Amino acid sequence: MDSRIIIANWKMNGSAEMVANIVPAIVGFKVPGVRSVLCPPAIFLRSVAEMIGSAEVFLGGQNCSTEKSGAFTGEISPEMLGNVGCRYVIIGHSERRQCYFETNGVVGKKFVNAMEAGLIPICCVGETGEERSKGLTREVINGQIDSLFTALGESTSKVNLEFLIAYEPVWAIGTGESASPDLASETHIMIRDRVAQHNAVVAETIKILYGGSVNEKNAGSFFEKGEIGGALIGGASLKPHSFNEIRKLAAGA
Ligand code: 13P
């Protein structure tokens, strides 16, 4: 089994003090064979980068601009994220889609912009509870995936097509009600099939992660599924003990 990827999305949580407490506890806990990524709020990226040093933990942004530079007050370009040591950037998180009205088109632009800057996008997809109950899950997720490839097709640049997809059902985020491992696995297979319709080579190798109320108690059951290449963790990533236990489970399964 290829190594799993465990990503901490701190969202808009934390403080300088919290960074000083949490990061050493994660960096000092070595889990060979698992790729760990920390995505703190942008304001803390530089200090987290300094604390990570040469440890086998990677840094990611939680968002980036659709643009490269210019008069876009408050925005952060993917190149700037690279400047402070990021290898990854989360794009299309459902909180950005819902609270900041990011459309599939906007997410597609961010996707291409991130790869042009040499970052690895972590592309979030997932349906709301209402969409699931109306039987729209496949349609919604296919649309989210298609928009990434549409944006690529519209771009004239040649990029290194390295990215991750995180399946995060919106109804499972921050609710304590995770998807079942079976449901997550079935949806991952559906996602891989859709990617294959666009690019068979990418579909063979791309890692698809699950996110939504993952914690140290349920993580192992997700990692038993070969289709689940890792996890994107919100709440539990703010607790070093929980996050490290999840990393350990990812290594052992
Ligand atoms: P929770 O783990 O808090 O449910 O958040 C998941 C998430 O949104 C990670 O991006």
Side-chain angles (χ1 to χ4, degrees):
M1 173 79 200
D2 221 13
S3 69
R4 290 201 174 78
I5 305 187
I6 303 298
I7 304 174
N9 176 10
W10 289 7
K11 309 191 180 186
M12 197 176 74
N13 293 297
S15 60
E17 193 186 352
M18 190 188 109
V19 167
N21 287 328
I22 288 188
V23 178
I26 292 169
V27 169
F29 190 86
K30 308 271 181 242
V31 190
V34 171
R35 177 168 281 234
S36 305
V37 182
L38 301 183
C39 302
I43 191 92
F44 300 128
L45 282 170
R46 183 173 278 285
S47 51
V48 174
E50 280 163 9
M51 296 170 103
I52 288 176
S54 59
E56 279 297 290
V57 173
F58 295 81
L59 192 63
Q62 294 181 11
N63 179 32
C64 70
S65 174
T66 54
E67 309 300 324
K68 299 205 185 306
S69 67
F72 302 102
T73 302
E75 288 290 276
I76 298 176
S77 73
E79 193 178 345
M80 292 169 184
L81 292 175
N83 287 163
V84 293
C86 290
R87 280 293 287 128
Y88 293 86
V89 61
I90 298 171
I91 61 157
H93 193 282
S94 62
E95 287 149 17
R96 297 223 49 97
R97 293 179 190 265
Q98 293 195 323
C99 306
Y100 302 100
F101 313 109
E102 286 190 9
T103 60
N104 281 343
V106 166
V107 175
K109 279 191 186 165
K110 293 185 177 195
F111 173 65
V112 174
N113 204 22
M115 285 192 296
E116 284 175 349
L119 298 183
I120 301 171
I122 303 157
C123 308
C124 300
V125 301
E127 79 289 0
T128 64
E130 193 184 345
E131 287 161 346
R132 170 159 288 276
S133 63
K134 287 184 177 161
L136 296 172
T137 300
R138 180 184 293 271
E139 191 179 318
V140 167
I141 293 178
N142 284 353
Q144 291 167 338
I145 293 167
D146 293 351
S147 63
L148 303 175
F149 287 94
T150 302
L152 257 182
E154 285 166 357
S155 157
T156 52
S157 63
K158 286 256 172 292
V159 290
N160 183 12
L161 254 189
E162 188 178 2
F163 62 100
L164 306 171
I165 293 180
Y167 170 52
E168 296 209 308
V170 180
W171 46 270
I173 294 178
T175 58
E177 184 203 340
S178 67
S180 71
D182 281 341
L183 187 150
S185 187
E186 279 162 25
T187 314
H188 284 206
I189 291 165
M190 189 191 93
I191 290 170
R192 196 177 293 281
D193 284 349
R194 191 63 174 190
V195 171
Q197 290 179 24
H198 293 282
N199 188 320
V201 177
V202 171
E204 256 179 47
T205 52
I206 191 170
K207 278 199 199 310
I208 305 173
L209 320 181
Y210 170 73
S213 296
V214 176
N215 56 43
E216 70 275 27
K217 295 198 184 76
N218 63 20
S221 62
F222 287 103
F223 302 143
E224 279 166 16
K225 303 279 177 189
E227 185 48 50
I228 297 182
L232 180 54
I233 324 271
S237 74
L238 295 162
K239 299 176 218 146
H241 173 73
S242 303
F243 188 64
N244 286 340
E245 284 301 307
I246 295 168
R247 292 166 70 210
K248 223 163 71 182
L249 288 163

